[in-house]
Amino acid sequence: MAPRETYRHGNLRHALMVAGVGLAREGGPDAVVLREATRRVGVAPNAAYRHFADRRALLSAVSQAGLAELARTMERQLAKAPSPPRARLRALTRGYLSFAQAEPGLFRAAFATTGMAETDTEEAAGADGRTAYRLLSEALDDLAASGDLPPEHRPDAEYFVWSTVHGMAVLLIDGPLRGLLPSEAEEAERRVADAIERGLCPTRG
């Protein structure tokens, strides 16, 4: 209970969110409970309500933290990718799917409460200030600028790519593909990336 004095000076909200992220990692969004977060931090349950009105508010903060970690994972893959726009788009796909498989609980929590506007906030951004959505949008802009993506296919292409990759992520962690061996999961990822290319760039795919 010694840290409580520090929490009174403004660190309690952060400590509760860190505890909430830990709970999400262990059990997904259903495990993010205010009372358990306060127990882990070592404060009375009522102390949490100065910072989070209810469980949903804590889950929203955890969701933003999960989205930020997703963006950072995608950034790391992007940093290793070759320069051609197609390769960079594949790197983002790889980052998205690798995060889902490495952190299934936090991945589920990341999308538990977010509305569309909440996916593109400062709290959901990675190390360089870009969110997962912004990283994807910029990659698609680069693909269009290279001539690979026809102009008529650019509007709202984010939703096509995002829904395809997210659907594969859910299949890999919660659906019938969750039992795939690592090599089989990599092959499934490659096929999804190929399908996205064909859909976006049919004249050259």
Side-chain angles (χ1 to χ4, degrees), residues 143-144 147-157 160 199-204:
L143 195 64
D148 282 351
L149 176 60
E152 64 272 19
H153 289 181
R154 177 61 189 92
D156 297 328
F160 164 65
L200 292 174
C201 317
T203 59
R204 295 185 55 184

Side-chain angles (χ1 to χ4, degrees), residues 23-24 27-33 55 59 105 108-109 112:
L23 290 167
D30 291 344
V32 180
V33 179
R55 172 186 176 273
L59 182 56
R108 295 181 191 108

